[in-house]
């Protein structure tokens, strides 16, 4: 298994298949990847020998991506956090997944990130990225600008997380043993240093900035994101949250348009209802929403009517008749857990859709009592970096779909993600090579730069509430999807 670039294999591609500038760019990144693989702790990564040139030319991989497989026929980074399949497995997976309808007809499945499928899409301009993450329910999230940058950015994350011995870096953890918010930011920024156009990493960074109250910085990140991935529904939703927080004369109107655009792009009715409920929040009395200009080519160039809160609420209930009931259920559960953030959000969304809903109004005193309690002293990091507001928010979106099936079925509700602590990263007796134990949970910070759980949707979310609940990060529950592949 050679660690040295093999010009014979790289030159196996016909020159006309890859433009000179693109080839130089990719080969430069392959050299940088090579350096990092060579310098990594022994056993942290695994990689294959070069792929057979004839088989590579006949593969469905685009020419620029073939350059990577011409160097390594399969990669496994950081104990499987990122896996790129060997060429033979790509061929098998492509046939299986296309036949099952699990991917688009022109997708090329190439591997997995934390158990979720990665594909090279046919239309990166429409998708927002060359490499797209496809979740179990079919949700497509723009991940990386190219395969070589995906690998390079992942190796950048590894350099932040691990020291020369393959152990977690000490400064990444607070006194409670959890990754700090600063560590999460370092991972995201390092990823974006190496892949500036990675939409999912920039999305996650914008979320982190919003949660920290840095709204203008978050808005700047989202503008960059939406230039690269203009049809990313969660990007528009996050932009609406930031604009709503910024306020100002145009804030509510711009936020309303961002939320409605997110709903237009959402593929599942439960998510449409969630985005439209936030549009109801932006259109509430007291929010000045100016009429928008009709910029259509043939339409009236005058002002276009802006939907009222009542119009938007009707659309929410058309998408999910049990939406408000689901918010009431979520509010009760949040009060039981003493989760103030989730409780306030459930009340806000529910009353924005149906202002007089008695069940929600009856719970206001309990919420006021929870607000009045003095905050408990936090152990360790004061930022509480892994109290993942995003996961709570998206669980609320999916709660609407859950309510249509069975609001009382708690077994169908996804469990909260397990936090990773420094103890999880300690080497076991069987991991003397420096590789973390296989199967260990990965935190939101480790997944933040584009991993499966760093996406907008948390583990366990699904588009069909009658489908079996997901268990962990395994993928056997998806029809037609092969078991997790290793290089």
């Amino acid at each position: 298994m050679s660690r040295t670039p093999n010009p014979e294999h790289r030159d196996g591609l016909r020159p006309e298949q890859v433009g000179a500038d693109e080839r130089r760019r990719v080969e430069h990144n392959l050299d940088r990847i090579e350096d990092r693989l060579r310098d990594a702790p022994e056993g942290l990564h695994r990689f294959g020998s070069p792929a057979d040139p004839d088989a590579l030319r006949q593969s469905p991989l685009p020419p620029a991506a073939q350059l990577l497989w011409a160097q390594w026929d399969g990669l496994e980074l950081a104990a499987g956090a990122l896996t790129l399949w060997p060429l033979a497995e790509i061929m098998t997976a492509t046939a299986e997944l296309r036949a099952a309808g699990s991917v688009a007809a022109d997708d090329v499945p190439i591997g997995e990130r934390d158990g979720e499928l990665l594909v090279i899409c046919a239309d990166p301009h429409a998708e927002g990225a060359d490499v797209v993450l496809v979740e179990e329910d079919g949700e497509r999230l723009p991940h990386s600008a190219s395969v070589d940058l995906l690998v390079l950015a992942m190796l950048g994350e590894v350099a932040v997380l691990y020291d020369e011995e393959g152990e977690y870096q000490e400064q990444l953890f607070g006194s409670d043993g959890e990754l700090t918010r600063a560590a999460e930011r370092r991972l995201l920024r390092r990823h974006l240093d190496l892949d500036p156009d990675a939409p999912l990493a920039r999305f996650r960074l914008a979320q982190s900035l919003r949660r920290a109250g840095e709204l203008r910085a978050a808005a700047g990140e989202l503008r960059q994101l939406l230039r690269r991935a203009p049809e990313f529904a969660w990007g528009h939703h996050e932009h609406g949250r930031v604009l709503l927080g910024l306020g100002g004369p145009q804030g509510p109107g711009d936020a309303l348009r961002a939320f409605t655009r997110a709903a237009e792009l959402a593929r599942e009715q439960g998510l449409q209802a969630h985005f439209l409920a936030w549009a109801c929040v932006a259109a509430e009395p007291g929010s000045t929403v100016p009429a928008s200009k009709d910029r259509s080519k043939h339409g009236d160039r005058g002002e276009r009517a802006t939907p009222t809160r009542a119009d938007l609420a009707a659309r929410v209930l058309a998408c999910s008749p049990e939406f408000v009931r689901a918010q009431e259920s979520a509010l009760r559960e949040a009060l039981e857990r003493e989760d103030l953030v989730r409780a306030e959000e459930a009340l806000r969304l529910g009353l924005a859709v149906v202002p007089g809903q008695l069940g929600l109004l009856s719970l206001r005193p309990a919420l006021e009592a929870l607000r009045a309690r003095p905050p408990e002293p936090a152990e360790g990091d004061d930022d509480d970096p892994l109290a993942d507001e995003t996961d709570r928010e998206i669980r609320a979106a999916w709660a609407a779909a859950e309510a249509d099936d069975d609001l009382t079925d708690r077994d169908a509700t996804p469990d909260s993600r397990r936090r990773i602590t420094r103890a999880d990263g300690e080497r076991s007796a069987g991991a003397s090579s420096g590789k973390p134990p296989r199967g260990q949970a990965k935190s939101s910070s480790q997944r933040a730069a584009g991993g499966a759980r760093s996406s907008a949707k948390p583990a366990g979310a699904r588009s069909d509430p009658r489908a079996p609940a997901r268990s962990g990060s395994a993928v056997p529950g998806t029809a037609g999807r092969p078991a997790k592949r290793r290089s």
Side-chain angles (χ1 to χ4, degrees), residues 28-324:
H28 174 65
N29 287 335
L30 294 181
D31 290 339
R32 298 168 75 190
I33 291 169
E34 173 71 19
D35 291 341
R36 286 160 173 78
L37 289 176
R38 182 180 58 246
D39 296 339
E42 186 68 28
L44 188 60
H45 310 306
R46 296 193 298 175
F47 49 92
S49 301
D52 178 72
D54 292 333
L56 193 56
R57 281 192 291 269
Q58 298 172 18
S59 76
L61 289 169
Q66 288 183 25
L67 289 168
L68 189 145
W69 270 263
Q71 184 70 31
W72 304 286
D73 190 17
L75 284 167
E76 184 184 276
L77 304 185
L82 173 69
T83 301
L84 297 183
W85 297 326
L87 189 59
E89 294 192 40
I90 288 177
M91 303 291 283
T92 302
T94 299
E96 290 177 357
L97 293 168
R98 287 180 179 177
S102 302
V103 297
D106 295 329
D107 283 344
V108 180
I110 57 169
E112 292 172 319
R113 173 76 194 245
D114 289 319
E116 296 287 0
L117 183 66
L118 293 169
V119 304
I120 298 176
C121 68
D123 190 350
H125 295 289
E127 300 262 14
D130 280 35
V131 180
V132 173
L133 187 144
V134 182
E135 295 195 321
E136 266 195 277
D137 56 11
E139 181 88 10
R140 299 172 69 88
L141 304 170
H143 193 290
S144 298
S146 64
V147 179
D148 52 290
L149 289 173
L150 163 67
V151 176
L152 188 60
M154 181 64 191
L155 288 168
E157 291 184 49
V158 169
V160 173
L161 285 169
Y162 297 96
D163 62 20
E164 294 179 355
E165 301 299 323
E167 302 285 358
Y168 283 122
Q169 300 273 10
E170 293 291 335
Q171 67 269 26
L172 300 180
F173 297 89
S175 59
D176 58 358
E178 294 178 350
L179 287 166
T180 65
R181 178 169 291 177
E184 181 184 10
R185 297 273 186 91
R186 285 182 62 194
L187 283 173
L188 291 164
R189 294 193 185 282
R190 184 57 179 154
H191 191 107
L192 291 168
D193 284 344
L194 297 167
D195 186 2
D197 289 328
L200 213 50
R202 200 165 294 282
F203 169 74
R204 194 67 177 185
L205 178 58
Q207 287 181 318
S208 178
L209 291 167
R210 173 178 61 81
R211 291 197 298 266
E214 300 175 47
L215 298 180
R216 295 195 181 279
E221 298 294 341
L222 289 164
R223 283 193 293 271
Q224 293 187 61
L225 165 66
L226 293 173
R227 279 197 293 269
R228 170 68 180 177
E231 297 188 12
F232 184 22
W234 283 105
H236 287 280
H237 170 71
E238 185 65 22
H239 197 207
R241 294 288 303 270
V242 170
L243 292 169
L244 204 57
L246 285 170
Q250 300 297 321
D254 290 342
L256 189 152
R257 284 183 281 276
F259 291 135
T260 53
R261 179 58 178 155
E264 290 169 2
L265 295 170
R267 302 183 181 188
E268 204 277 331
Q269 287 192 323
L271 292 181
Q272 291 172 12
H274 179 69
F275 296 149
L276 289 169
W278 274 103
C280 290
V281 172
E284 282 178 324
S287 298
T288 303
V289 182
S292 59
K293 297 288 186 179
D294 185 351
R295 296 184 176 90
S296 62
K297 185 175 180 180
H298 303 291
D300 180 4
R301 294 184 179 273
E303 292 189 344
R304 186 174 50 187
T306 300
T308 65
R309 188 208 58 78
D311 295 334
L312 294 165
R315 292 171 61 187
V316 171
L317 297 175
C319 291
S320 178
E322 298 293 340
F323 182 84
V324 178

